[in-house]
Amino acid sequence: MTGSVVLAQDGRRPEREIPIVLEKSGGFVIGGKVLQNPQDATQHLSCDHGYVEYFLPHNPRTTSLVMWHSSSAQVWQNRWDGGAGFKDMFLRRNYPVYLWDGPRVGRANWSCEQTTYSPRWRDEGNFTAWNFGPAYKNWWPDVQFPIHDEKAWAEAVASRYDEFDRLKNIELETDAAAVAADSGRLGDNIVYLTNSAAGLRAMVTTTKAAGHNIAGIVAYESIGYVFPIGDPESPELCTDPNACGFGPIGVPLEAFKKLAKLRSIQFVWGDHRDEPAVPNYKFVAQSRLAAKLINKYGGHAEVLMLGDDAGLKGSTHIPFADMDNARVAALLDGFLKKAGLDGHRDATPRGHWVWDK
């Protein structure tokens, strides 16, 4: 099976889409604990595990894409207007895709401890945090969001989980994620695709994993970074277990060097970010420092500004859901190819699709 998907002239919608052919799909839980009821030894609770939903193409590539969200797995499944998201785009490219819900999040929400959900008035704050514009409903002129589609806005703000942004929960999530990575059930050549605070978690997971199954990280607008303890260039590190949800988090130097052993790491930022007055500017600066230190210890890390470096204007906090996500996907194609992470398991592929750019 061969063919090509060609972008429309505006670069937004493919003129046609091929069927997705799967060998199988499914899901599993991994990690976690089993607690015994201290009042009744015959009763138990399975909790604090992670959940993985997987999709395995008929003709798989060697690299698995583990899509790690901060808000909801939905962000990987569709574009803002309901068009194809990264999950389907990269299944069509024959990459095995895994959607990860960490402990206490989404489909893995049974906790070993009591938790409390307190509603917060967040919709208006999401507008600026997600880089749709400088103030609520004041859209950036070039924003890659269907600004006249009220349904798209309503679905964007509704597709959320509670995130538990605290250091103790980061440790909990990354313990389970490291078990998942070392198990081999996600494949032996993992690239984490992350969004927002999930980037920090993927970095911490890499420093904890005992094996060599993690090959790379592409972190879209990572809110939080890992730094080596004791390095004179590391910033002041956060250590409060009940805070520090966005770092910076310190790890021993030998653990940090595991990041330098990956094939490649890319920190990706949307437009309107690289100015001190805009939200999350400090994390752009942290991403540059993290890349510098990873490379200092022999790694291959870079920062990609979608606007300045790639000419993609108006990217939001979730660029892989943007209206030009086909172009964002093409950049990921280039990253995987450059890192040698785009090969097929068969020496002679049974067919694959090339996206013309």
Side-chain angles (χ1 to χ4, degrees):
M1 180 172 64
T2 59
S4 177
V5 175
V6 181
L7 295 180
Q9 288 186 348
D10 65 0
R12 291 186 173 185
R13 293 179 181 272
E15 292 179 353
R16 59 191 177 90
E17 293 180 343
I18 64 169
I20 296 171
V21 181
L22 297 180
E23 191 70 36
K24 63 177 179 177
S25 64
F28 57 86
V29 299
I30 194 160
K33 305 173 184 176
V34 177
L35 301 184
Q36 185 182 71
N37 185 345
Q39 278 75 48
D40 185 343
T42 67
Q43 296 180 336
H44 299 81
L45 173 65
S46 298
C47 50
D48 283 353
H49 51 268
Y51 178 82
V52 177
E53 184 178 15
Y54 62 84
F55 307 85
L56 306 182
H58 180 61
N59 178 28
R61 295 184 190 256
T62 55
T63 294
S64 302
L65 300 182
V66 177
M67 299 183 179
W68 193 334
H69 62 86
S70 176
S71 57
S72 166
Q74 175 61 30
V75 298
W76 299 105
Q77 299 190 79
N78 293 102
R79 196 171 54 189
W80 295 121
D81 66 346
F86 262 32
K87 176 178 74 72
D88 284 0
M89 285 181 168
F90 283 89
L91 285 174
R92 288 192 170 95
R93 289 156 161 82
N94 290 325
Y95 286 95
V97 170
Y98 298 79
L99 301 180
W100 166 255
D101 281 335
R104 306 185 184 180
V105 175
R107 292 168 290 183
N109 74 342
W110 269 18
S111 170
C112 293
E113 300 176 340
Q114 180 175 326
T115 60
T116 301
Y117 169 72
S118 299
R120 289 183 286 162
W121 310 106
R122 302 185 63 165
D123 288 4
E124 290 76 15
N126 288 339
F127 187 92
T128 52
W130 292 350
N131 202 19
F132 294 157
Y136 180 62
K137 290 301 179 78
N138 179 14
W139 304 90
W140 294 119
D142 52 8
V143 68
Q144 293 291 330
F145 188 92
I147 63 175
H148 300 297
D149 186 345
E150 286 298 325
K151 181 180 178 183
W153 165 250
E155 291 187 356
V157 293
S159 298
R160 297 214 60 173
Y161 304 151
D162 209 11
E163 297 181 34
F164 301 101
D165 290 320
R166 297 184 290 274
L167 179 56
K168 64 181 181 181
N169 287 90
I170 292 173
E171 298 293 348
L172 180 70
E173 285 197 39
T174 54
D175 284 348
V179 170
D182 288 337
S183 73
R185 297 182 73 179
L186 306 179
D188 58 6
N189 215 39
I190 296 167
V191 171
Y192 287 119
L193 304 185
T194 71
N195 180 230
S196 197
L200 172 61
R201 288 158 171 77
M203 285 179 262
V204 175
T205 297
T206 302
T207 69
K208 289 182 175 183
H212 304 282
N213 292 335
I214 303 172
I217 299 172
V218 178
Y220 294 98
E221 298 231 331
S222 181
I223 306 300
Y225 293 85
V226 171
F227 295 96
I229 296 171
D231 188 290
E233 295 187 82
S234 291
E236 182 178 354
L237 302 172
C238 193
T239 59
D240 183 349
N242 293 307
C244 308
F246 307 117
I249 292 176
V251 297
L253 177 58
E254 289 307 308
F256 183 82
K257 287 181 178 179
K258 292 182 181 181
L259 290 165
K261 294 178 180 178
L262 302 188
R263 294 273 195 95
S264 196
I265 298 174
Q266 188 177 71
F267 301 124
V268 183
W269 288 98
D271 214 354
H272 308 289
R273 287 303 201 196
D274 205 11
E275 302 171 12
V278 301
N280 297 326
Y281 170 77
K282 70 175 182 180
F283 294 114
V284 177
Q286 285 184 20
S287 71
R288 292 192 171 112
L289 178 57
K292 177 183 177 181
L293 293 183
I294 291 167
N295 295 339
K296 174 180 177 179
Y297 293 104
H300 301 87
E302 64 180 6
V303 176
L304 176 67
M305 306 301 292
L306 291 175
D308 293 341
D309 299 332
L312 301 188
K313 293 298 184 180
S315 298
T316 74
H317 183 55
I318 309 176
F320 48 86
D322 284 348
M323 298 302 291
D324 65 348
N325 67 351
R327 295 194 183 281
V328 180
L331 294 173
L332 179 55
D333 285 333
F335 169 88
L336 295 167
K337 182 176 182 179
K338 182 179 179 181
L341 294 167
D342 63 337
H344 280 77
R345 294 197 182 280
D346 289 352
T348 304
R350 295 188 290 274
H352 65 282
W353 291 81
V354 176
W355 286 64
D356 296 332
K357 300 182 285 294

